[in-house]
Amino acid sequence: MISLQNISKKFDDTTVLNNVNVTFEADKTYAIIGSSGAGKSTLLRCINLLEKPTQGQVIVDGVDIVKEKGQLYAIREKIGMVFQNFNLFAHMRAKENVMYALLKVKKMSKEEAEKEAILQLERVGLGHRLNNYPHQLSGGEKQRVAIARALAMHPKAMLFDEPTSALDPEMTQEVLKVIKSLNHRGMTNVIVTHEIKFAQEVADVIIFMNQAEILEITDTKEFFKQPKTKRAQEFLANMI
């Protein structure tokens, strides 16, 4: 379980998160939605301390990783992260990109790491692209390599930061299909997205943010049927 308690984040004089409280449970998928600048990506990045909160607690499996910095790297191994822009090593083939953390962090043998990398690339539909370099892959394929790389670590949680924002519509559907296949597999999935229809299809819970705050944490069906706040009602009216 992951719990963010009284989280605030400031960049100079700008408040990007204001006293945020939210708990993410295992085997549930959460979609964080809201207008640009609401603080969605910053909230996501606070979960594994890629952004350190100005104040508050980030509790993962009972450990406040803001205070217990010595456990941060062990915790990060349990939390996979998929970024907007793939973050692949350009000089490595797809298989090698997935193997890298397994070799360096998990200390697997080359044979074990290769076996795991092939398994995960096949899982995301890229068994035929094992030996291709990133420049030989489409945007959707690059993002699926990034997902395979995160899955290879066997995380307890997966964080997706606008995973389709750099993709065209056809490639977007490829990636969303893979993310949807991860639903209810025992992991916690947290997805920051502007794909409102996808959020409606895949998420168990909607987290609606506005101006650095969480306005609603609501069951997905309930949120899309009848949002509780006027701001959420206006947002949906503009998006759908």
Side-chain angles (χ1 to χ4, degrees), residues 125-163:
L126 292 176
H128 62 301
R129 292 294 209 181
L130 302 176
N131 294 309
N132 288 94
Y133 290 96
H135 74 270
Q136 297 172 315
L137 302 174
S138 69
E141 288 171 335
K142 290 176 188 176
Q143 193 61 289
R144 284 187 280 159
V145 172
I147 293 171
R149 177 180 57 189
L151 290 174
M153 300 293 286
H154 292 272
K156 289 187 174 182
M158 285 281 285
L159 312 179
F160 298 90
D161 187 10
E162 295 283 6

